Amino acid sequence: MSVWSEPGGFGEGELSGFSDAGQTIFHYEGAVPQFPGPRGDEDAVAALLRDVALPSDIAFLIGRGIAIDALYDAGRLAREQAAFAADILIECGFLTAEEYYRALADELGVPFLRLNELKPEPRLALKLTRADLPRLSVLALDGGRGGLELAMAPGPASIAEVLRRTKIDPRIRARLSITTPENLRCAVAIHGAVHGLEAARPDFSAARLRPEPGLAGALRAATPVVILAACAVFEPRILMGLAAVLFIIGSVARFHAGLYDGVEHPLRRGRSPGEAAWPSYTVLIPLYREAAVVEDLIAAMRRLDYPAELLDIKLVVEEDDRETRDALARHMPGASFEIVVVPTGGPRTKPKALSYAMRFARGELVTVFDAEDRPDPDQLRKCARLFAAGPSSLGCVQARLAVDHAEETFFTRQFALEYATLFDILLPWMSSRRLLLPLGGTSNHFRRRALDDCGGWDPHNVTEDIDIGIRLARDGWQMVTVASTTWEEAPLTFSAWLNQRVRWHKGWLQTWLVHMRRPAQLWRDLGPINFLVTQLLFAGTASALIAHPVFIGLVGLYATDHSLLPRLRGLADITMMGAGTLCLVAGYGASAFAMLRAARLRRLRVRLVDWLALPLYWLMMSLSFALAAVELVWRPDHWRKTRHGVALGRRKRDVRRACE
């Protein structure tokens, strides 16, 4: 490896943040070698060292707490196995990688940097997202002392040259630091997870939605929300007209979807790739404060029917979540599972954790499960068949989500009906017509190339699922549904429901604002039909949630005490009030019809109170939307955590399943 092109100067490779030298990785498969004890005679030891010189990658360790005999035998093993002596010492436990590189830093007279001290040069963000992590050994840093600084984690093959170059020109030490290869890889991975999409496709990043600092920036960001609220209060006819059009179109679509027969399209039935051709599959499971469900989660993953040697299950946990990490360590079941620890840095969101873990994923196909998920055992095989049978443009397969404890509370029943309507009725209907799909937050299965092409998940968007679905569609990738279910846990209480719903609505607002930065380009990317679908999903939902309480209030007041309101004057007012009433009737009717069909498919019991409570439930959604709009301005990256493992009904069902 050529670390520097000339004494005191940095080579072109290092200016871009990369080294052209990889690191040879040694893994000792046999028993740990037994090194001889002390030879007793120091002169004899010195004679041996004169006869056989120590390899350069460990020679500087003399006098640093490791027995001379161990160094000598590591050198001998390295020659016999064509490996590196440093790797043998680390593998056999004579020192850790951090101790090794700290000793190297001390030998060179340069600082040793921990992971949290590695700050990559911001201008390298785009290149770092494409870095080959196993080969990365030099990284340009955001120098605080002026000029360019480098962090280096040289492989054993490069140690001799690093030592020689720093002796030739001591000025190099002023700009050099040492760290471990693991620290270097993690620093690049977390930097790419936080800044990768923003660097590669800035127009698609929600990071650019943040208001300017100070009160003026917050007021400018809140202006559209204030205008909509003012229309709703002082001139509701404008908002009513817009909402009525979108509401009626959405109601017609819901009613039509309710008529869908659910017959699987030939593509969605798929074909088997054959046992020798199953693709490798990465399963990403982001976890934060989920120690209570770890045991059940791993049991659910063990039930997956897929070749174990092709499974790459990543349990992704935050660095400071010690409770979950300890629970994972207690229940780790086998070689298919790996714990990925996400370093602190950037927003603490699910998409950031997913983006970080993707840097270490090995699968040709990638799926995401949540901590409480119980997927059908054959789900991965079904999706692999779809990708094998489908065109190369098939980028995502969405499985169905369902609640397995619907009878527990009012909110679990409403949640179960919502999920059944969306995943058993609407999404299959939209998929059959090749429409853009609002993906769910879990059980979406991706072709790895599609994920890479669209830029992966946006760490600043709190509903990463719907956002990545739109980017896939804009890039020409096709999405379909599959008749396989993942069972989930629904919130039991109003506070839990509100937390989750506020996050969803905030993320939907983020997504719509991001993709409507350039409406004309969105039209060209999606085409007119999917552009209209996008507006119905976002603008239609937003206007309906704002207008719904206004509709309810006006109709109620006119029906009870219209003296409190101005009289209806002229045909326009009467038409508007009639349209508002029609919207309420059509919206409730279409939703009730689709819910009834979905409930029959899922064999859910629908009570009279569930129908009568629809207006109240929608008013609660309007409240959550208002809170989401406020939070989008003041706390755009805040992730409202949903607590899992509290549903008594699903715990009892898990016990019954274990006893069967």
Side-chain angles (χ1 to χ4, degrees), residues 450-473:
L451 268 179
D452 292 339
D453 285 353
C454 77
W457 295 278
D458 183 355
H460 300 280
N461 192 314
V462 296
T463 50
E464 73 295 336
D465 42 12
I466 184 67
D467 169 63
I468 203 168
I470 293 180
R471 276 188 278 124
L472 286 171

Side-chain angles (χ1 to χ4, degrees), residues 552-570:
I552 290 286
L554 290 177
V555 171
L557 286 173
Y558 273 117
T560 55
D561 188 1
H562 62 271
S563 63
L564 297 175
L565 291 172
R567 292 186 177 182
L568 295 176
R569 297 176 180 177

